[in-house]
Amino acid sequence: MEEEGISDQKEDEAMKATSEAAEDLKREEGSSLDAELSEYKDKYIRLYAEFDNYRKRVQKDKEDILKYGNESLFYELLPVLDNLEMALTHSNETQSDGLVKGVEMTLREFRRVLEKFGLVEIEALGVHFDPSRHHAMSMVERQDMDDMTVVEEFRKGYMFADKVIRPSMVVVSKKHSGQSE
């Protein structure tokens, strides 16, 4: 019977060792699976973030296309607007009132259409010189004006959708220094 007891004990020890080995194997496989799962989760999070950034960039590009899509058209139309204004300026020299009224009406309608699509004239005369909106052609001494005030406008400037597409060409005032030359 002793042999049977020893044999049972050895059998129990073998089963225990096998069970411990199986549990060790499960732990090793589990930690390996956990590491692999963690790696895939990290890849997924990075891919999702990249996709989200891509989606936002595409959305911004679409908004910019809608916002600034007419900009090149305005560049082409500004000389036409300038020529109509010049025609009215020089109309005092002609005798044809019908022609002058026709150009005035055309110019008024043309401005209305351009404004409808977002073209805005830059205010220049009498305002403080702003280098981001005005291009100074010259400076003149003026005692009746504050320093750096726009006193004359050679060519009108325009903005489109918060962007200056053509600065105003202006003359800017400066105070007399008071020193003799």
Side-chain angles (χ1 to χ4, degrees):
M1 285 227 193
E2 257 185 60
E3 276 184 28
E4 241 178 68
I6 293 176
S7 170
D8 285 341
Q9 186 179 7
K10 284 185 181 181
E11 207 173 284
D12 285 342
E13 287 176 9
M15 284 180 65
K16 189 175 182 182
T18 304
S19 175
E20 286 176 5
E23 283 182 32
D24 286 345
L25 186 60
K26 281 182 184 177
R27 274 193 294 268
E28 286 176 18
E29 285 179 357
S31 66
S32 173
L33 287 175
D34 286 344
E36 194 173 339
L37 178 63
S38 177
E39 182 182 333
Y40 284 126
K41 185 177 179 182
D42 184 56
K43 284 181 181 179
Y44 168 76
I45 290 171
R46 289 176 190 272
L47 183 63
Y48 185 81
E50 285 179 24
F51 176 74
D52 194 44
N53 289 338
Y54 171 76
R55 184 185 55 78
K56 289 175 184 175
R57 189 172 51 250
V58 167
Q59 181 64 31
K60 185 183 179 321
D61 289 348
K62 283 171 47 177
E63 289 170 3
D64 285 348
I65 287 169
L66 289 173
K67 188 175 184 180
Y68 299 111
N70 293 332
E71 186 175 351
S72 63
L73 176 64
F74 289 134
Y75 281 120
E76 298 293 323
L77 291 176
L78 286 179
V80 175
L81 183 62
D82 292 339
N83 290 336
L84 285 170
E85 289 172 345
M86 205 176 326
L88 281 179
T89 302
H90 296 296
S91 67
N92 296 338
E93 301 166 6
T94 65
Q95 299 297 324
S96 177
D97 288 336
L99 179 62
V100 172
K101 287 183 182 181
V103 172
E104 285 175 345
M105 288 172 37
T106 302
L107 182 59
R108 195 171 27 255
E109 181 65 15
F110 192 45
R111 282 185 181 144
R112 186 193 67 75
V113 170
L114 294 175
E115 286 174 8
K116 177 181 174 183
F117 287 95
L119 188 72
V120 179
E121 190 176 305
I122 295 173
E123 187 178 350
L125 287 176
V127 300
H128 186 75
F129 176 74
D130 179 356
S132 66
R133 295 172 178 236
H134 306 122
H135 179 81
M137 300 301 291
S138 65
M139 294 185 84
V140 294
E141 289 185 13
R142 294 280 300 260
Q143 296 303 319
D144 62 329
M145 302 286 267
D146 289 337
D147 207 23
M148 300 302 289
T149 300
V150 175
V151 295
E152 188 178 344
E153 183 178 47
F154 289 126
R155 186 181 75 187
K156 292 182 181 183
Y158 294 92
M159 292 185 67
F160 173 62
D162 74 357
K163 182 179 176 184
V164 175
I165 61 172
R166 185 175 83 181
S168 300
M169 295 176 84
V170 298
V171 176
V172 182
S173 67
K174 67 176 180 176
K175 292 278 189 185
H176 181 64
S177 62
Q179 297 176 356
S180 301
E181 291 181 22

